[in-house]
Amino acid sequence: MIKNLRYLLMALVVFAFSSCEKEEIGSTNTVAVAGEWMVQVDVVDASGDVAYEDPYGLGYVPMLTYNTNADNGKEMYVSDIGNFWLFTVKVPCDVNARTFGSSTPAPNEAYDERGNLYDIDVTVDKGKIIEKGTMSPSGRPVDSIEFYVSFSDDENFPSGYRYYVHGYRRTGLNGGAE
């Protein structure tokens, strides 16, 4: 009887381990353009020349690019997560070309700390991500990002001026500073 019980127990253990399969974890359709970024914000004039470097003295700030619920690979979100202007906007993207944005303003989807929608229009255009396009502060090759952004309620600079956002993909290494 004990011998039969031992065989049954061994069979159950073998069955339990053989039935475990490693599940493949998929990625979203915008994985090539999604990420956390450390960016600087400058002001450029109508010709694209830098008029003011880091006008608000922010240095590098984190921003995000991420997938939409549709997961169709044709649109993504760009958000400063409240670190610059308080904007979250859905923009068209081309994942294969690693480009994003549109010259058409889009409604802001960001909410302030009291839960109120920050109701402005945001234009994100000429966005691009370059694979291994720059170096991280510690000297590692990382993806670079750049885009232009303007806000319907911006009265800080003359007409035709907009913000030039540029930086690198955060790696999470170097104690989180990168």
Side-chain angles (χ1 to χ4, degrees), residues 79-83 85-88 108-120 153:
S79 176
D80 76 338
I81 44 180
N83 290 313
W85 202 272
L86 185 59
F87 73 93
T88 299
N108 189 18
E109 297 183 36
Y111 290 83
D112 66 19
E113 64 278 353
R114 292 176 291 187
N116 298 317
L117 178 66
Y118 183 30
D119 191 16
I120 60 168
D153 67 339

Side-chain angles (χ1 to χ4, degrees), residues 17 21-22 35-36 60 62 76 78 98 103 114 120 123 126 167-168 170-171:
F17 283 110
E21 291 181 28
K22 192 170 187 175
E36 183 176 357
Y60 280 97
M76 68 180 201
V78 177
R98 295 183 185 228
S103 59
R114 292 176 291 187
I120 60 168
T123 304
K126 296 184 182 175
Y168 61 93
R170 185 176 175 278
T171 65

Side-chain angles (χ1 to χ4, degrees), residues 7-68:
Y7 286 131
L8 179 61
L9 183 59
M10 286 176 37
L12 285 172
V13 168
V14 168
F15 175 74
F17 283 110
S18 66
S19 66
C20 294
E21 291 181 28
K22 192 170 187 175
E23 218 176 289
E24 285 296 315
I25 298 174
S27 59
T28 67
N29 286 319
T30 60
V31 70
V33 294
E36 183 176 357
W37 307 90
M38 296 303 294
V39 299
Q40 290 181 301
V41 181
D42 298 324
V43 175
V44 295
D45 60 22
S47 63
D49 295 325
V50 175
Y52 305 97
E53 281 189 29
D54 193 12
Y56 304 113
L58 300 173
Y60 280 97
V61 295
M63 286 194 179
L64 300 175
T65 55
Y66 54 96
N67 200 15
T68 65

